[in-house]
Every structure is written in structure tokens, then in C-alpha cells.
Amino acid sequence: MTTIASDTRPEPDSVSTWLTFLLALSCGLIAANIYYAQPLAGPIAAELGLRPQSAGLIVTMTQIGYGVGLLLIVPLGDLIENRRLITSVIALAAVALVAAALSTHPLPFLAAALSVGFGSVAVQILLPYAGHLAPERIRGQVVGNVASGLLLGIMLARPVSSFVASVSSWHAVYWMSSAIMAALAILLRWTLPPRIPQGRLGYGELMRSMVHLARTTPILWRRALYQASLFAGFSLFWTTVPLVLAGPAFRLSQSGIAVFALLGVAGAISAPIAGRLADRGWTRPATAASMVLTSAGFALTLVVAPGSMLSLVLFVVAAIAIDFGVQANVVLGFRTLFVLGADSRSRLNGLYMATFFLAGALGSAVGGWAYVSGGWLLAAVIGGVLPLLALVYLATEKK
């Protein structure tokens, strides 16, 4: 018989390795849904009859759905039994992915893409859920391990979708992911321990309470703005660097760019490291180190003019450094927010994620503009300054 977890249960001594792995794997598989379309936007737009200048809508609609879900669905983790909520939202993603795979016209596909993003917020219900399961002394470690799965899913989604589409079609990517989501929903329904929140707010009250939390939780906005600065730089880098690599300086093929992206995945190892540092009380120095490392990554790309083998190696090191810093900082933020109270973890997480996700979208837009206006030099300068601004803000935090 499965034991039901609630916010008043005795704190567990540990979380099993198997359950931690399952949560990390689930986060990675779900998060990948948001990023599969990025390298496929061109072929999808061409087949559906979208104009080239509108191809960006394929990714944008998924991001809009994800952003809306962060605010409207994720807070329900403080109200609805978590296992049922998680599996229901994953099932929604599975249905949306089938709709995308079947689409032959732009409007149905864009509606499906919106729903894919909406259903993919299950990953942000799983992270606070992991925080609930973990005892205080290792909460950062557990959340960091689970978040590493999420980060790997984000980084691997692009090369995986490129490979599947190259041997089949973009439809196969969506069919594959829909089958994975259906199987995952069933697996989690049978294996996750239930968790019943103690809050008795109605949905309207829950939404209003988020405004109150935003107004009365200054550390939320600090951590959100720290991560917004870093994530904007991260999005700028990964939006712009493929243009640099495919341009006249490097002339890399799509497969070469995919290999570059795979090498950048090494930065995901920072998540569990950051969690352990936070558990030891080193959140502030680790935050500062994340900001410096992210800024240094951009600086590395400017040491040598693009085009040589040395410059390519420096770009790879920069990608790892930027990923390392950004992923470490997001986990430090999770750890800080998840100790504020079990009753509000999902709402805090929704506000935190929505803030820096918007910053990421702006970073992508700025990156494209900067590259067209001033080349990689301007893009790298903007990307490198953003973490330094966050470092200045960190200096005003009371110890």
C-alpha cells in the first residue's frame, strides 16, 4: 500500500536513488518537448505553408504556452494532489504532441504547439514535488540532481530532433515524444507517492495569493532577477552562436553545430554541485561564482578572432562555462525558495520561472538584433555585461 505524503508528514530520512533518477529522467523528457522544434522550424514551416518570416511562431507558440502554464497550472501544485496533477498535465502534452504530428496546416499546428508548451509545465510541478520529498539536510542535493535531468533534456532535445528528422521526418519527432509522454504518465501514476497539499484555497484565491507572495517575498524577486540576467545571456548565446558557427568564419554544417551543442551539455554537471553547495550554506559565494563564470564565458569568445581552431575550442569552453554558471544559479534559486515553506513552493516556483523565462525570450530577441547590427562582438558584449549587472545587484544583498 502506498503511503500518502502531505505537508504535515514526518520528514523522510532520504529519497531513494531510483526515485531521484525517475524524477530527473521525467524532467528531462518533458522539458525536451519545448525545444524539439527549434532546429526544425524551417522544414516544418515549409511543409505547412508558413512564410519564412513567420517560422519563428513555431517556437514562440510553444514558449507562450509554457509561460502561461507557469502562471496558471504550476501553482495548482499547492492545491491539488500532486501525482494526479502531474500525470494529467503530461497526458495533455501527449495529446498535443499527437495533434502536432497530424497537422498539415499552420493553424492546427500552432494551436498544438501552444498546448505542447502548456502541458510541458509538468516539469515545474515535479521540481517542487522533489523538494517536498527530500529532507531539509539534502534538499538542495536532491533538487539539483533532479534539475540536472531537466537541463540535459533541454540541451539534448535539439540534436536528437535533428537526428530523428534527418532519418525520417519532423512528424516522427512528435510521434516519438507523444509515445514517450503516454508511457511516462502511466509509469509515474504507478510509482510516485501521492502528495496532498494542506492548503484549502479556491483557484481564484490561489491566483490572488500569488500577487501577495510577489509583493511580500523580496528574496523571490532577488533570485528571479539574478537568474533573469543569466538566462537572458544564455538564450542570447544559444540563439546567436549557431549563426556564428554556420557563418563564413567557421562554416560548420548542421551536424557540426549539433556536435557543438552536445559538447555544451557538459555544463549540466553544475546542477548537483550547486545543490550540495547550497545545502552547506554557501549560496551567496556560489551565486557570485556563477555570475562571474557566465560573464567569463562570453569574454573567452573574444580572445581570438573567430575562424581558427583555437577560437572554435574557446567557443566550446565558453559554451560549457555559460551553461555551468546558468544551471548552477537556477538550482541555487530553487534551493533558496523551497525552504520558504511547503505550502507555497509551487506558486513561488511558478513566479520564479515565469520571470526568467520571459527574460530568456527577450535575450533571444536581443541576440538576433545584436548579431545583425554589430556581429558577434556586440552580442558577446551584451551577453557578458548582463551577469555583471546581476553581480552588482548581488552586492546589495544583506548577508
Side-chain angles (χ1 to χ4, degrees):
M1 180 176 178
T2 305
T3 300
I4 295 179
S6 72
D7 292 334
T8 59
R9 73 192 190 285
E11 188 173 82
D13 294 328
S14 63
V15 180
S16 71
T17 302
W18 154 248
L19 184 55
T20 302
F21 171 78
L22 177 62
L23 292 172
L25 177 65
S26 301
C27 283
L29 292 172
I30 297 166
N33 292 329
I34 310 166
Y35 297 92
Y36 283 138
Q38 283 191 337
L40 306 178
I44 293 173
E47 183 172 329
L48 296 179
L50 271 173
R51 293 178 299 174
Q53 56 267 43
S54 301
L57 286 174
I58 290 168
V59 177
T60 300
M61 293 302 288
T62 305
Q63 292 176 331
I64 290 173
Y66 190 73
V68 171
L70 286 171
L71 295 175
L72 300 184
I73 298 295
V74 171
L76 289 172
D78 293 331
L79 183 65
I80 297 175
E81 194 280 300
N82 284 187
R83 184 180 64 179
R84 179 159 54 91
L85 178 61
I86 290 165
T87 53
S88 297
V89 177
I90 293 173
L92 170 62
V95 172
L97 288 160
V98 169
L102 292 171
S103 295
T104 56
H105 297 285
L107 190 58
F109 181 88
L110 293 176
L114 184 75
S115 299
V116 167
F118 205 65
S120 297
V121 297
V123 72
Q124 296 304 332
I125 306 169
L126 280 165
L127 278 169
Y129 175 83
H132 287 296
L133 295 181
E136 172 66 24
R137 62 184 176 81
I138 59 167
R139 183 165 290 138
Q141 177 183 334
V142 171
V143 172
N145 288 337
V146 173
S148 66
L150 182 156
L151 305 173
L152 283 170
I154 291 173
M155 299 304 296
L156 290 172
R158 301 178 185 95
V160 167
S161 63
S162 294
F163 173 75
V164 172
S166 68
V167 299
S168 181
S169 72
W170 65 263
H171 296 276
V173 175
Y174 287 93
W175 282 118
M176 173 194 72
S177 189
S178 65
I180 291 172
M181 290 301 103
L184 186 63
I186 295 170
L187 177 61
L188 295 182
R189 177 65 182 83
W190 281 98
T191 56
L192 292 185
R195 173 191 168 258
I196 302 176
Q198 296 302 297
R200 292 294 179 264
L201 297 174
Y203 185 69
E205 293 175 296
L206 191 75
M207 292 295 101
R208 288 191 293 272
S209 73
M210 291 178 69
V211 178
H212 176 73
L213 281 172
R215 292 171 56 187
T216 59
T217 315
I219 191 60
L220 164 65
W221 287 113
R222 275 201 170 268
R223 294 309 317 188
L225 290 175
Y226 295 161
Q227 186 61 16
S229 298
L230 270 65
F231 197 68
F234 172 88
S235 296
L236 180 151
F237 181 86
W238 285 107
T239 297
T240 311
V241 82
L243 302 175
V244 178
L245 297 176
F250 292 108
R251 299 185 184 279
L252 291 188
S253 64
Q254 282 301 116
S255 60
I257 295 172
V259 171
F260 180 92
L262 280 173
L263 294 173
V265 170
I269 65 170
S270 66
I273 295 172
R276 286 175 171 83
L277 292 175
D279 286 336
R280 295 177 182 176
W282 296 347
T283 297
R284 185 183 174 92
T287 299
S290 298
M291 295 169 178
V292 171
L293 186 60
T294 304
S295 183
F298 282 98
L300 273 177
T301 66
L302 300 177
V303 172
V304 179
S308 66
M309 179 56 68
L310 176 58
S311 66
L312 182 58
V313 170
L314 290 175
F315 265 87
V316 171
V317 175
I320 295 172
I322 291 168
D323 286 0
F324 194 102
V326 173
Q327 314 309 357
N329 193 67
V330 73
V331 172
L332 294 169
F334 286 141
R335 178 64 171 81
T336 300
L337 297 177
F338 289 174
V339 301
L340 297 181
D343 290 343
S344 59
R345 277 187 191 133
S346 292
R347 282 168 286 171
L348 289 169
N349 189 46
L351 290 166
Y352 176 55
M353 289 293 302
T355 301
F356 76 73
F357 193 82
L358 175 61
L362 291 173
S364 294
V366 169
W369 166 83
Y371 185 71
V372 171
S373 302
W376 174 248
L377 175 62
L378 179 59
V381 169
I382 294 173
V385 166
L386 288 172
L388 296 180
L389 293 176
L391 189 63
V392 172
Y393 186 40
L394 174 67
T396 68
E397 183 179 313
K398 295 180 180 179
K399 297 183 180 179

